[in-house]
Amino acid sequence: TQLIARLFAQPLIAQRLKSQRLKVLSVALASDDKSGRFALADRRIAQMVLFNYEVGTATRLLVDSANGEILFEEAIRGRPQSSEEEIQEAIGIVRQDREGGRLLQERGVIEGGFVVDGPAGTKSDHRFLQLQILSSDRLSLLRVVVVDLTDRKIVSSRVRF
């Protein structure tokens, strides 16, 4: 969107984000200013949630939609919900996998896209999505796949959950 482009074009933001891999997970009209510092009725304020894959952190920003100025920033504890873009990226990774691609070509259907902990031995600051490959009638679970979006690879693929 234009707001995202304006935000990332600001010199201060562009410098700070240089060489960082970021995704905007969500953008919405802010309905509440938790900081208590801004009169939201006076401006159109957007709330943006960003995920930085380089450092494994999520950030909530309040941004003036007129000029892209960041009014407030806070780190988000926990794991924000996955974005549609992340789900599509994970599906693309599964499609490129030999077994996952075969199941999908045989009319398998993908469901899910929930953010989960990675399997034992994976890095805790990585972002993982869980997908289920179902039969075309959605009556049978064929495979549960966990995709590491940070490293862009499948880290777990099991027939049983």
Side-chain angles (χ1 to χ4, degrees):
T1 69
Q2 292 178 357
L3 176 61
I4 296 168
R6 278 197 304 265
L7 174 68
F8 287 169
Q10 286 188 25
L12 199 66
I13 298 299
Q15 180 62 30
R16 190 170 119 197
L17 302 178
K18 190 176 181 180
S19 77
Q20 298 291 309
R21 185 173 148 236
L22 292 171
K23 272 213 175 105
V24 176
L25 301 181
S26 66
V27 178
L29 192 59
S31 60
D32 181 28
D33 170 24
K34 294 178 183 177
S35 72
R37 295 184 223 179
F38 306 103
L40 296 183
D42 297 345
R43 305 191 234 182
R44 288 185 57 88
I45 306 297
Q47 175 179 272
M48 300 174 72
V49 176
L50 305 174
F51 190 82
N52 185 329
Y53 293 92
E54 300 300 320
V55 294
T57 60
T59 305
R60 178 179 294 108
L61 304 174
L62 291 181
V63 179
D64 186 326
S65 62
N67 59 21
E69 175 189 1
I70 296 176
L71 305 171
F72 181 73
E73 177 177 348
E74 70 177 334
I76 297 175
R77 294 190 314 207
R79 297 179 295 228
Q81 180 177 326
S82 58
S83 69
E84 185 58 35
E85 184 181 354
E86 285 182 311
I87 293 170
Q88 292 306 314
E89 180 179 352
I91 289 171
I93 292 167
V94 171
R95 284 189 193 288
Q96 292 174 0
D97 177 68
R98 187 174 55 99
E99 182 63 15
R102 181 188 66 77
L103 290 171
L104 294 174
Q105 281 202 322
E106 292 175 0
R107 302 180 49 83
V109 178
I110 291 186
E111 294 279 337
F114 299 104
V115 179
V116 296
D117 288 331
T122 57
K123 296 180 179 178
S124 63
D125 62 348
H126 282 209
R127 189 148 164 94
F128 300 94
L129 291 191
Q130 178 181 286
L131 301 168
Q132 297 86 36
I133 302 177
L134 307 173
S135 59
S136 60
D137 60 7
R138 290 180 158 78
L139 295 177
S140 301
L141 176 64
L142 304 176
R143 190 161 296 274
V144 176
V145 180
V146 177
V147 176
D148 179 341
L149 289 177
T150 305
D151 283 344
R152 296 180 172 133
K153 66 180 184 179
I154 293 173
V155 292
S156 174
S157 180
R158 300 180 293 177
V159 175
R160 299 216 185 266
F161 185 64

